[in-house]
């Protein structure tokens, strides 16, 4: 089966470099699904989830924004900030969410509200990705315990 090469990069590091079967990313215009042979594309990423399918594995990452580029068999995600699901510090994201919500409830000036809304979106995405990852792990271990595959 054909695959494409996916690099997920930040300014600091390579988060992922794999041959992937499929990618789902969140752009400013909505979710986009990339399969081998996708037409060339450059898209602006919104804070959201990346779902990367490699064989039977699906990996989840949180992305705070950036760019997606598809050229032939090469797909690049250049992210502002990116965390693999298992790296997400849930307490930190909860704190960030609470801080942003408190700020917005206090009725900040418009420019400050925009910053707080963006921080809130990043926190919600991180919490969502971490929760889906934990749920999947739990379902897998429950399946193993009951002999399911
Ligand atoms: P915080 O207020 O907690 O710093 P933030 O949304 O302002 O959150 P960013 O500016 O998006 O943070 O990211 C700064 C760095 O910290 C990036 O390297 C990012 O991957 C990392 N980071 C932010 N929040 C978390 C988290 N909850 N778990 C793991 N890494 C995180």
């Amino acid at each position: 089966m054909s695959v494409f090469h996916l690099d997920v990069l930040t300014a600091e590091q390579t988060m992922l470099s794999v041959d992937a079967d499929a990618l789902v990313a969140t752009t400013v215009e909505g979710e986009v699904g990339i399969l081998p042979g996708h037409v060339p594309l450059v898209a602006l990423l919104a804070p959201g989830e990346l779902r990367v399918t490699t064989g039977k594995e699906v990996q989840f990452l949180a992305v705070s924004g950036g760019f997606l580029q598809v050229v032939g068999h090469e797909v690049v995600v250049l992210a502002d900030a990116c965390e693999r699901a298992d790296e997400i510090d849930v307490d930190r994201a909860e704190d960030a969410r609470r801080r942003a919500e408190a700020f917005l409830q206090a009725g900040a000036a418009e420019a400050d509200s925009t910053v707080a809304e963006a921080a809130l979106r990043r926190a919600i995405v991180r919490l969502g990705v971490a929760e889906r990852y934990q749920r999947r792990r739990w379902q897998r271990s429950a399946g193993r315990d009951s002999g399911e595959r």
Side-chain angles (χ1 to χ4, degrees):
M1 189 183 152
S2 79
V3 292
F4 56 86
H5 190 77
L6 171 67
D7 283 314
V8 180
L9 314 170
T10 68
E12 288 89 28
Q13 58 178 319
T14 299
M15 302 295 297
L16 205 61
S17 182
V18 291
D19 287 331
D21 298 298
L23 166 71
V24 177
T26 312
T27 76
V28 293
E29 291 177 19
E31 277 203 340
V32 62
I34 308 293
L35 293 170
H38 196 284
V39 293
L41 171 76
V42 173
L44 195 56
L45 294 174
E49 185 177 84
L50 283 185
R51 287 200 301 279
V52 181
T53 305
T54 49
K56 289 184 180 165
E57 289 296 315
V58 182
Q59 292 186 63
F60 297 87
L61 298 98
V63 170
S64 66
F67 291 95
L68 166 69
Q69 182 192 47
V70 182
V71 183
H73 289 289
E74 299 294 324
V75 177
V76 178
V77 171
L78 186 56
D80 297 330
C82 177
E83 303 88 41
R84 283 180 281 269
D86 61 345
E87 292 172 346
I88 293 172
D89 179 336
V90 172
D91 291 341
R92 176 174 168 178
E94 286 283 8
D95 281 351
R97 182 174 62 81
R98 271 194 293 270
R99 263 198 323 274
E101 281 173 349
F103 205 81
L104 290 168
Q105 273 161 19
E110 198 177 324
D112 294 338
S113 299
T114 307
V115 172
E117 277 162 12
L120 181 58
R121 272 200 300 276
R122 292 195 298 275
I124 288 171
V125 166
R126 285 174 177 133
L127 291 168
V129 170
E131 190 193 324
R132 270 187 286 286
Y133 172 71
Q134 290 302 342
R135 203 180 319 139
R136 232 161 206 268
R137 279 189 58 178
W138 183 84
Q139 282 168 347
R140 279 187 170 186
S141 64
R144 258 198 308 275
D145 289 348
S146 66
E148 287 173 26
R149 283 284 172 267

